[in-house]
Amino acid sequence: MSPTRVLVLNSGSSSLKYQLLDMRDSSRLAAGLVERIGEQTSRIRHTCLATGEAREHSGPIADHDAALKAVSQELSRNGLGLDSPELAAIGHRVVHGGMFFTEPTVVDDEVLAEIERLIPVAPLHNPANLTGIRTARALRPDLPQVAVFDTAFHTTMPESAARYAIDPKIADRHRIRRYGFHGTSHAYVSRATARLLGRAPEEVNVIVLHLGNGASASAVAGGRCVDTSMGLTPLEGLVMGTRSGDLDPAVIFHLARVGGMSMDEIDTLLNKRSGLFGLCGDNDMREIRRRIDEGDAEAELAFDIYIHRLKKYIGAYYAVLGRVDAVAFTAGVGENAAPVRAAAVAGLEGLGLAVDPELNAVRADGPRLVSPADARVAVAVVPTDEELEIATQTYALVGAGVNNS
């Protein structure tokens, strides 16, 4: 039998998340997380989903090479190791693919070099992604390694949406344009929303709202992204957990010239000390809602700013699409925070948007509609599954070659 398993790796600067899936039925065989890589207090949490067995170990894990070896050992204890002949490929999440990578790509030396050239526009993410790929290649040089790019889904944006209004020669020289991120989530959720409506993705226009600690919106017309809120970096767009989102660029000049702040200090402010955290000291929506219920004015203002920005993007993308069949909420906040969903569409009844309070309050695992039965535009909660999307794209690329080998 041809191999049908795909190992999905998401390498961060000090972490490694993984899932092993069998693509015959998209079932999960194992999942886990290695965190605090490079520290004495490293930890690996592993779950064999086939048996329900869970294990956790603490101790120093020096680097990503050691982390992936530890993952392999845990998988091997359940008969699922990296040396298994049933493993068809390893799929890697890569945050930034620029305009060069518009689809999943089998990794070779040229691909690695191009991902490395993109480090200046993704300095926090691409180096870690590269480390994971190189480590996996060293451990299984015979196995296809596939890079799946967060930016790829957004490469269908027209130039009118992707270009900034600056000198094109300067923009092209420095690769400045709007790339967008969370692409695997937006791709998965837009298709899953179409299925929920009983229609083909090519027939449906969807506004996808990926609301987690990082947050982004996209306008998807007939399965193709035509606009998205994040830009050159994941800083642009919605108010996020610790990121400011949209900002007058002159604020940066003002902070440098008048505030005397360095570029590094401003970078830290806007990426790590802004958003909900910067406004009220919390970036957990559950805690913010608790504080609001207790009458905390600072938390309430942070929530109102968050919702105001979100509502503006819903309206803007309604205008971009012309016709909207559904608005889909996903990721941690989008899937679990009913007050966010209700507030985001409140007052938009004229656009056909509303939530049913009872349906919206229900917590459930699968995709569901939370809009009234007679709503002109469906409002949906669609759990994202980026690992399944990466595995699906990986296997679609290598499966034919595997099956013919």
Side-chain angles (χ1 to χ4, degrees):
M1 181 183 294
S2 299
T4 58
R5 294 175 183 171
V6 174
L7 177 64
V8 175
L9 297 180
N10 183 349
S11 301
S13 57
S14 60
S15 66
L16 177 64
K17 290 194 289 186
Y18 62 95
Q19 284 194 16
L20 180 66
L21 298 92
D22 191 326
M23 300 315 296
R24 286 176 296 185
D25 56 4
S26 300
S27 61
R28 286 168 175 74
L29 303 176
L33 169 67
V34 186
E35 53 190 344
R36 297 196 288 271
I37 295 171
E39 301 179 20
Q40 292 297 309
T41 56
S42 306
R43 180 173 64 175
I44 179 170
R45 289 180 287 170
H46 173 85
T47 302
C48 178
L49 297 166
T51 64
E53 179 187 3
R55 297 187 292 271
E56 183 174 315
H57 307 287
S58 297
I61 296 177
D63 50 29
H64 282 73
D65 181 66
L68 191 52
K69 287 177 180 175
V71 169
S72 181
Q73 289 172 359
E74 291 299 325
L75 290 169
S76 294
R77 290 177 64 180
N78 299 115
L80 304 169
L82 262 66
D83 58 350
S84 169
E86 296 181 65
L87 190 61
I90 299 178
H92 299 265
R93 180 200 180 205
V94 179
V95 168
H96 215 309
M99 291 302 293
F100 190 83
F101 298 109
T102 61
E103 55 190 16
T105 305
V106 175
V107 174
D108 57 21
D109 291 342
E110 182 181 346
V111 169
L112 279 175
E114 182 61 25
I115 296 172
E116 191 162 17
R117 280 193 286 270
L118 288 163
I119 285 176
V121 290
L124 299 178
H125 299 95
N126 274 31
N129 302 155
L130 279 166
T131 299
I133 294 172
R134 288 178 173 135
T135 299
R137 286 184 89 198
L139 289 179
R140 281 298 306 268
D142 59 312
L143 201 65
Q145 310 282 332
V146 176
V148 178
F149 299 90
D150 274 13
T151 49
F153 182 64
H154 304 302
T155 57
T156 56
M157 284 192 293
E159 287 292 277
S160 56
R163 286 277 187 180
Y164 291 110
I166 64 174
D167 184 330
K169 294 185 181 65
I170 293 175
D172 291 345
R173 186 182 313 138
H174 300 288
R175 304 190 187 206
I176 298 172
R177 63 185 290 120
R178 301 183 63 251
Y179 293 101
F181 299 89
H182 296 142
T184 51
S185 178
H186 287 281
Y188 177 86
V189 170
S190 60
R191 288 200 311 274
T193 302
R195 286 196 300 271
L196 181 63
L197 299 180
R199 299 169 65 182
E202 311 83 63
E203 301 173 353
V204 176
N205 288 357
V206 185
I207 298 172
V208 178
L209 304 172
H210 177 107
L211 308 179
N213 192 49
S216 61
S218 67
V220 183
R224 292 167 61 85
C225 177
V226 295
D227 206 349
T228 192
S229 58
M230 287 179 167
L232 174 72
T233 75
L235 181 58
E236 187 181 359
L238 303 175
V239 175
M240 303 176 223
T242 65
R243 299 177 204 149
S244 65
D246 290 340
L247 190 78
D248 179 350
V251 171
I252 297 170
F253 312 146
H254 184 80
L255 290 173
R257 293 167 180 162
V258 179
M261 295 178 68
S262 69
M263 285 297 107
D264 286 344
E265 288 172 331
I266 297 171
D267 190 313
T268 298
L269 171 69
L270 298 182
N271 277 291
K272 298 181 179 179
R273 303 195 61 80
S274 294
L276 292 170
F277 178 79
L279 288 167
C280 71
D282 272 310
N283 62 327
D284 187 320
M285 187 58 73
R286 294 165 296 188
E287 181 64 15
I288 290 170
R289 290 302 309 176
R290 183 194 66 77
R291 288 171 56 183
I292 292 172
D293 290 341
E294 294 178 353
D296 188 316
E298 191 178 59
E300 186 168 8
L301 177 60
F303 182 82
D304 289 347
I305 293 170
Y306 179 95
I307 294 298
H308 181 76
R309 183 80 54 81
L310 184 55
K311 192 173 294 191
K312 283 174 64 175
Y313 268 91
I314 293 172
Y317 286 172
Y318 206 117
V320 167
L321 290 169
R323 187 200 82 242
V324 175
D325 299 294
V327 174
F329 289 85
T330 193
V333 174
E335 294 169 27
N336 298 298
V340 169
R341 298 191 294 265
V345 302
L348 301 182
E349 292 82 5
L351 298 179
L353 287 163
V355 297
D356 179 297
E358 291 186 7
L359 293 175
N360 192 40
V362 173
R363 295 179 69 92
D365 293 333
R368 63 196 187 279
L369 295 177
V370 296
S371 47
D374 59 351
R376 193 164 81 245
V377 178
V379 178
V381 179
V382 181
T384 191
D385 198 333
E386 295 175 89
E387 289 79 13
L388 176 58
E389 181 68 19
I390 291 170
T392 300
Q393 292 191 28
T394 296
Y395 193 68
L397 182 62
V398 306
V402 168
N403 294 332
N404 292 330
S405 60

